[in-house]
Amino acid sequence: MATSPSAPARTRGPKAAVPVVLGIFLFSLIIDNGFKFMTKAIGDDLALTASQASLQATLAGLVIGIGAVVYAALADSVSMRKLLYVCVGLIAVGGIVGFCFSSSYTMVIIARLIQTTGLAAGETLYVIYVTKYLPAKDQKTYLGFSTAAFQASTLFGAVASGYVATYVSWTAMFLIPVVMLATIPIVKRTVPHTEATSSHVDLLGLFFIAVVATALMLFLQAFNWLWLVVSLVGVAAFIWHICAHENALVRPEFFMNKRFSCIIVLVFIVYSVQLGYITLFPYVAADMYGYEIDKASLLLAPGYACAIVVGVLSGQIGRVLNSRLTILLALLGVIAALVIAAVGIGWGSWVLIVSVVFFPSSYALFYAPLLATAIRDIPAEKTGIAIGFYNLTINVAIPIGIAYTAKLNDLKPTFLSWAVSADTPVGAGYGTILWVLALIVAVGTAGYMIADAKLYRSERARGALS
């Protein structure tokens, strides 16, 4: 009997789609991180301040955070194949619009928002695909690929955008992801076309979070107090929403869990610094050492190579060290990285290389133990919601951090110049900014350690009583 041409596609297992879905995931991260690193090149070409140029990164970052939650919910009722079509289509449309209208910064921002709506799907759907379609025994292996890919994407994105901006044009970065259209036939052949039965997206809750985050970023642009008022109103509205609606994004009882609340605050503080430093990096490399953006991107290579290794080995490290010690060492590593850069900024570019070895590796080290600690006391049936809110907090903190770092870059404060090795006003300004970032992490770390010690004593006392 003759075999139907479509038979191989029907018998193809779910693992067959992993390479293409992982490829879309990695490519989406590379493009997203590339545009963040290219902020200086965009600002120089369009005569923008650092704060203005950072808008294309901060607003896009907020879309990534909100989009991740939306796509995660849609995956319960829309087939993975259709969502990937939407992903690739939006990325291509945004890229074409951005390239064609690159002389208008307003259109650049609009194009980035369209593009990032697709990138959010690419950055979310791989993890969902693995947990939805692959056997439980294989999931840890394939999820490990995502950790390594996340670290690698920051390096590849920085290097690629650096060379594109220097030797071609930053506008070409819009066209590169259009090649993802070539993945559509592969997605059609390999990704299962399965419809689920239900989904719920708390659009109102996400709207309030978007209002709060956007208002904070706009406040940081010009310190217009009206935006701060809007942000506070958004916070009040979000609190009302989660108290009044059973199907809200997160319920009030989550915040009654003191350990979860404590870690959410720490996550917001520490992750706000993460890409703030990376977007500041090319400015420091250019103004202090005369490096073009392509050379600046290469300074990141050793650090992110180490971070990839740490990410891959984080599971083994976690088995040797307990979560509390791992988190503390990682936080101290972030602080050390920023202090090294701040103090040694006048000694040469090698200081930045040393700093970046510690910086991303520390973030790679504490993600897993921090998340595990946050959800430790959350009921099993609610851990999905808790993890979703945890990741949303990270994705909201990152653009806010980029915004306040960009504003500090515009202001160039020098009040900590006495703690900086550089003997020029420019060096004193960058050194002070790096000290401020280090102090932000240090305050978050100190607050976490105090709260953790109190919670530990309380938990031990309850254990003794029982």
Side-chain angles (χ1 to χ4, degrees):
M1 188 174 70
T3 302
S4 168
S6 61
R10 289 198 301 268
T11 60
R12 199 184 296 265
K15 288 184 182 179
V18 168
V20 67
V21 182
L22 179 60
I24 292 172
F25 170 77
L26 177 60
F27 205 62
S28 296
L29 285 166
I30 289 173
I31 297 302
D32 185 34
N33 287 317
F35 269 101
K36 289 184 175 75
F37 191 78
M38 212 156 46
T39 296
K40 182 180 186 300
I42 296 172
D44 290 346
D45 189 46
L46 298 179
L48 305 169
T49 66
S51 292
Q52 291 170 334
S54 71
L55 269 179
Q56 61 84 22
T58 55
L59 293 178
L62 183 60
V63 171
I64 290 286
I66 302 293
V69 179
V70 173
Y71 284 116
L74 288 177
D76 289 334
S77 61
V78 181
S79 76
M80 185 67 61
R81 188 189 297 179
K82 288 181 180 178
L83 290 176
L84 287 169
Y85 290 162
V86 171
C87 161
V88 173
L90 287 171
I91 291 170
V93 170
I96 293 169
V97 170
F99 181 79
C100 293
F101 300 97
S102 57
S103 60
S104 166
Y105 190 52
T106 299
M107 290 302 298
V108 167
I109 291 176
I110 292 171
R112 283 283 289 132
L113 294 179
I114 296 171
Q115 180 190 65
T116 308
T117 304
L119 295 176
E123 294 182 26
T124 303
L125 295 178
Y126 173 74
V127 174
I128 295 173
Y129 182 85
V130 168
T131 56
K132 196 177 183 71
Y133 292 103
L134 299 189
K137 63 182 178 65
D138 295 327
Q139 289 180 11
K140 286 186 179 180
T141 300
Y142 287 99
L143 289 175
F145 295 160
S146 69
T147 302
F150 183 83
Q151 298 298 335
S153 69
T154 306
L155 172 60
F156 296 153
V159 172
S161 64
Y163 275 81
V164 168
T166 302
Y167 298 107
V168 187
S169 168
W170 65 268
T171 60
M173 198 70 177
F174 273 118
L175 285 184
I176 292 174
V178 175
V179 302
M180 292 175 73
L181 289 171
T183 65
I184 289 178
I186 307 174
V187 168
K188 185 177 181 179
R189 287 198 306 270
T190 61
V191 176
H193 183 70
T194 307
E195 300 285 356
T197 56
S198 64
S199 71
H200 171 72
V201 183
D202 180 16
L203 293 178
L204 186 57
L206 291 171
F207 171 75
F208 289 142
I209 290 174
V211 167
V212 173
T214 304
L216 280 175
M217 287 186 288
L218 293 174
F219 169 72
L220 292 168
Q221 287 280 307
F223 295 112
N224 183 333
W225 292 96
L226 177 61
W227 289 116
L228 189 59
V229 172
V230 172
S231 180
L232 293 174
V233 171
V235 170
F238 181 73
I239 293 172
W240 162 80
H241 174 68
I242 65 174
C243 291
H245 297 87
E246 288 292 330
N247 292 324
L249 177 68
V250 66
R251 295 293 298 151
E253 53 263 28
F254 277 97
F255 302 103
M256 301 300 178
N257 184 313
K258 293 180 181 179
R259 188 168 294 281
F260 181 79
S261 298
C262 170
I263 290 179
I264 285 295
V265 173
L266 175 68
V267 163
F268 184 85
I269 293 171
V270 175
Y271 275 94
S272 73
V273 171
Q274 186 184 31
L275 285 183
Y277 179 31
I278 299 305
T279 54
L280 182 70
F281 199 89
Y283 289 91
V284 176
D287 294 342
M288 290 299 300
Y289 314 117
Y291 288 175
E292 294 292 335
I293 191 171
D294 60 324
K295 300 297 190 299
S297 67
L298 291 179
L299 296 179
L300 296 171
Y304 278 94
C306 290
I308 293 168
V309 174
V310 171
V312 171
L313 298 178
S314 59
Q316 288 87 330
I317 295 171
R319 284 194 286 270
V320 176
L321 304 175
N322 63 43
S323 292
R324 179 179 283 104
L325 182 56
T326 304
I327 292 168
L328 178 58
L329 287 176
L331 290 170
L332 292 177
V334 173
I335 297 169
L338 293 166
V339 170
I340 289 169
V343 172
I345 195 168
W347 298 341
S349 60
W350 64 269
V351 173
L352 291 184
I353 297 175
V354 174
S355 169
V356 173
V357 166
F358 284 99
F359 191 76
S361 298
S362 298
Y363 278 94
L365 181 60
F366 71 49
Y367 177 85
L370 200 59
L371 176 58
T373 304
I375 65 173
R376 189 184 70 188
D377 301 325
I378 301 292
E381 68 274 12
K382 296 183 179 179
T383 55
I385 299 173
I387 293 171
F389 191 78
Y390 180 97
N391 288 328
L392 179 61
T393 301
I394 292 175
N395 284 311
V396 170
I398 285 174
I400 290 175
I402 294 173
Y404 70 62
T405 305
K407 190 60 182 180
L408 286 169
N409 195 10
D410 285 342
L411 297 174
K412 292 289 195 306
T414 58
F415 59 87
L416 291 174
S417 58
W418 55 271
V420 177
S421 61
D423 55 4
T424 64
V426 172
Y430 284 126
T432 298
I433 295 170
L434 291 165
W435 266 114
V436 170
L437 297 181
L439 290 171
I440 289 171
V441 180
V443 169
T445 301
Y448 170 73
M449 291 175 63
I450 293 169
D452 180 67
K454 290 182 177 179
L455 288 169
Y456 179 73
R457 287 195 297 270
S458 174
E459 290 163 358
R460 190 171 60 179
R462 287 200 303 270
L465 289 173
S466 61

